[in-house]
Amino acid sequence: MGLDSLYKEVILDHYRNPRNRAELADVHRHADGNNPLCGDKISLDLTIDGESVTGISVQGQGCSISQASASLMSEAIKGKNLQEIARLRQLFSTMMTSDETIVDPDRPGAVLGELEALAGVKAFPVRIKCASLPLATLDVALAGDAKPATTD
Amino acid sequence: MDVRRDFPILASNDMAFLDSAASSQKPEVVIEAMDTMLRSGYANVHRGAYRLSGEATDAYEAARAKVATFIGASSPREVIFTRGTTTAMNMLAAKWGGDRLVPGDNVVLSVMEHHANLVPWQFLKGVELRFANLTDDYALDVNSLRNRVDERTRIISITGMSNVLGTITPIDQIRAVADTVGATVIVDGAQLVPHLPVNVETLGADFLAFSAHKMLGPTGIGVLWGRMELLDEMDPFEGGGEMIDEVGLFESTWAPVPHKFEAGTPPIVEAIGLGAAVDYLTDLGMDAVRKHDAELTAYALEQLATVSHVTVYGPTDLNIRGGTISFTLGDIHPHDLSTILDENGIAVRAGHHCARPLMDHLGIPATARASFSVYSSSDEIDRLVAGLELAAKLFGIAS
């Protein structure tokens, strides 16, 4: 796997034009995540209506992988219910950390949508923590923990 | 300087290793000296009455003498072996600072300090920390230093060479400012000592700290040099074996300097390695090392200037600049840059370089950093420049 599989067009697009940056009117859950060693930062606000995440706002700074991952995640979970989000979370973890291949090369996006663009990060072990920070921060937000997330 | 073949890791690997400010590679002579010690010369020091221990002690103390000669110390006793610069700075902050300063006193640092010359001072309760600024050309602003100092300034502790900007500081001028109020001058020499000739008799410092692993030696050992009368006055940092004179159940007296600062079994093999590194650098000549660094730095700055969207953070005046160059490339985050360069066999450091306040001061989250040592070559700089062109292309930055 080369650099092209890491820095896909969709990742550079989400890095340069991050989605869901607008502030929310109603913030029900909030969490911060940071990797102190490399300096990546994510700040997450959620609006929750019943069992669904109806609004998400992401702020942050850091490398293209961490910031694109945050943007891609925000698109992937918006409007989803908590059960769907938990499943997506599980699939993402598997994609990033296990040898199991969950992405179908013939049907790109079929399993994890645009988040599949991050599959190439697995070949760059020191960068996995960058890709994982946004979802680790989401875990904290959904659990209502006060302690910031980190994947360092 | 044609010494690449002296470094086994570079001989067996065609990477461009541009991260020597973080830690340098080791020449064969250092590896061999440590190997020989472990295979045939090893025993604890200052302990046994048997021959092998005596020989190990002689070798350990000979390494101390080599270091003393290398930095121009008047006596090997002024050379204290520590775990590294960080431990030396913690010793000074606690024992020269914490033991002696009272609330309302102040310690003056600069905004470009490594965390090792910042966080230990933050441990001191009631002691005010003040920070000298930089000039527009990233030099230490001596006027700003002068303005921070007053009659309650007890210590000025500043890097001899910034690990981020490459800035070499005017220690003679820092000394002059300190003398107006009778303050002690501490120099963080982690980057200075590996790259420039240093003579502590004329340097202007009262204390100097540095690490072996950044000057071709092993990890796990560093040096605190201090003027003898100050070391005599300072209390031990750690208690234990070797550092004692008389020991009773309720109180003890200390061994003389340097042993009162070396509690426990010291890094013996590492000291032998440091001694070999010092021999190697002495053979090359530190003037030649500085010249090599300066030539490479000039070439690198010239080449980096040809790459669109590169911003370099550091002095343009080459006389006050060492071989450490921090830079950014357009809106590419330094970690991305580092990954792209790594894929092309080029190792650079990316991040805040253990100097978060400096990053805040510069208004950036991180930089990429290329840093040199005696084995670095202009060919590596050419590869860096080619790597940056490639990164710019990959991220769609127009030239």
Side-chain angles (χ1 to χ4, degrees):
Chain A
M1 290 249 241
L3 287 166
D4 290 341
S5 69
L6 183 64
Y7 295 113
K8 292 192 171 118
E9 213 166 293
V10 54
I11 288 182
L12 295 179
D13 176 44
H14 278 261
Y15 174 52
R16 293 246 163 78
N17 310 295
R19 322 296 201 260
N20 300 304
R21 286 255 163 180
E23 284 184 28
L24 300 175
D26 298 310
V27 177
H28 300 130
R29 293 287 171 79
H30 169 84
D32 294 313
N34 73 90
N35 285 336
L37 293 183
C38 72
D40 291 340
K41 284 182 184 158
I42 303 286
S43 177
L44 204 58
D45 288 332
L46 301 176
T47 307
I48 296 184
D49 186 1
E51 285 289 296
S52 294
V53 172
T54 54
I56 177 164
S57 170
V58 187
Q59 309 297 324
Q61 63 172 36
C63 67
S64 67
I65 304 301
S66 67
Q67 301 307 304
S69 174
S71 176
L72 287 161
M73 174 195 78
S74 71
E75 288 285 89
I77 69 164
K78 198 163 62 174
K80 297 267 186 357
N81 68 38
L82 297 177
Q83 214 175 346
E84 289 168 315
I85 291 171
R87 185 180 136 68
L88 189 134
R89 176 77 184 89
Q90 189 57 48
L91 285 167
F92 184 81
S93 264
T94 308
M95 179 175 82
M96 297 311 298
T97 58
S98 90
D99 292 336
E100 200 183 322
T101 307
I102 60 159
V103 173
D104 182 350
D106 295 330
R107 295 163 56 229
V111 180
L112 267 173
E114 278 198 320
L115 276 171
E116 288 181 8
L118 290 163
V121 179
K122 196 156 78 179
F124 297 83
V126 298
R127 304 300 299 278
I128 290 173
K129 65 179 185 180
C130 311
S132 303
L133 182 63
L135 276 144
T137 310
L138 177 67
D139 289 345
V140 172
L142 290 174
D145 288 349
K147 209 168 171 248
T150 179
T151 54
D152 253 354
Chain B
M1 195 164 274
D2 188 18
V3 298
R4 253 183 122 72
R5 74 180 82 86
D6 295 345
F7 293 77
I9 199 170
L10 300 173
S12 64
N13 191 323
D14 76 338
M15 74 180 153
F17 183 77
L18 295 171
D19 194 23
S20 294
S23 200
S24 66
Q25 299 298 347
K26 321 304 173 198
E28 181 71 42
V29 287
V30 167
I31 300 167
E32 214 175 79
M34 295 175 75
D35 186 76
T36 304
M37 179 69 178
L38 283 166
R39 286 176 192 281
S40 55
Y42 183 79
N44 209 334
V45 295
H46 298 297
R47 301 285 196 286
Y50 51 95
R51 185 184 303 273
L52 189 61
S53 174
E55 286 167 0
T57 303
D58 289 347
Y60 177 73
E61 292 301 330
R64 192 192 307 277
K66 285 178 185 181
V67 172
T69 304
F70 183 67
I71 59 171
S74 60
S75 159
R77 291 182 57 220
E78 291 185 334
V79 171
I80 296 158
F81 286 136
T82 69
R83 274 199 300 129
T85 306
T86 297
T87 299
M89 297 313 296
N90 276 277
M91 276 172 79
L92 290 171
K95 306 315 289 183
W96 193 253
D99 279 3
R100 305 169 68 256
L101 273 55
V102 296
D105 285 345
N106 67 71
V107 174
V108 182
L109 313 170
S110 85
V111 295
M112 65 179 152
E113 298 310 315
H114 187 284
H115 294 166
N117 188 27
L118 171 63
V119 180
W121 300 107
Q122 294 173 347
F123 292 161
L124 303 189
K125 299 285 177 252
V127 171
E128 187 192 345
L129 300 185
R130 298 180 177 181
F131 297 90
N133 253 315
L134 305 178
T135 67
D136 291 342
D137 195 36
Y138 304 99
L140 178 75
D141 184 345
V142 178
N143 281 326
S144 148
L145 176 69
R146 202 171 287 123
N147 291 334
R148 301 291 180 276
V149 164
D150 60 20
E151 72 285 351
R152 297 299 299 271
T153 302
R154 305 288 303 278
I155 294 169
I156 300 177
S157 185
I158 287 182
T159 182
M161 175 180 152
S162 163
N163 69 310
V164 179
L165 304 170
T167 304
I168 297 164
T169 55
I171 296 167
D172 52 341
Q173 293 179 50
I174 297 170
R175 173 86 261 164
V177 173
D179 284 344
T180 61
V181 295
T184 308
V185 174
I186 296 172
V187 171
D188 170 355
Q191 301 294 334
L192 178 73
V193 175
H195 295 286
L196 277 88
V198 168
N199 184 312
V200 290
E201 289 293 299
T202 53
L203 185 66
D206 296 303
F207 294 102
L208 172 73
F210 54 99
S211 298
H213 75 95
K214 293 186 200 288
M215 51 188 284
L216 317 181
T219 53
I221 189 167
V223 170
L224 170 62
W225 168 85
R227 289 200 292 116
M228 184 52 80
E229 60 269 35
L230 305 190
L231 293 174
D232 269 334
E233 197 181 324
M234 191 162 87
D235 278 335
F237 182 51
E238 292 181 314
E242 197 181 317
M243 53 75 69
I244 43 82
D245 182 17
E246 300 282 341
V247 178
L249 281 178
F250 298 103
E251 54 185 353
S252 304
T253 55
W254 322 136
V257 174
H259 298 111
K260 77 170 177 183
F261 296 111
E262 296 183 359
T265 294
I268 301 163
V269 183
E270 289 77 3
I272 305 308
L274 171 57
V278 161
D279 283 344
Y280 183 83
L281 284 170
T282 304
D283 282 350
L284 293 179
M286 286 308 290
D287 286 317
V289 170
R290 167 60 180 154
K291 184 162 171 281
H292 172 74
D293 245 14
E295 282 168 5
L296 273 187
T297 304
Y299 180 70
L301 290 174
E302 188 188 296
Q303 292 304 305
L304 285 170
T306 67
V307 184
S308 304
H309 308 289
V310 163
T311 307
V312 170
Y313 297 88
T316 51
D317 179 357
L318 290 171
N319 294 314
I320 58 157
R321 201 186 208 304
T324 287
I325 302 178
S326 273
F327 61 93
T328 55
L329 175 58
D331 72 344
I332 307 180
H333 193 280
H335 286 130
D336 291 315
L337 207 47
S338 171
T339 296
I340 297 166
L341 294 172
D342 187 33
E343 281 300 290
N344 289 278
I346 304 152
V348 299
R349 172 90 182 261
H352 53 64
H353 316 292
C354 297
R356 283 288 274 270
L358 176 60
M359 293 296 123
D360 293 342
H361 183 81
L362 299 173
I364 48 175
T367 69
R369 180 187 70 184
S371 55
F372 315 133
S373 184
V374 295
Y375 41 72
S376 303
S377 69
S378 58
D379 169 60
E380 289 175 306
I381 292 162
D382 293 341
R383 288 172 65 185
L384 171 66
V385 166
L388 293 176
E389 301 281 8
L390 201 123
K393 209 169 130 196
L394 195 65
F395 266 68
I397 297 177
S399 58

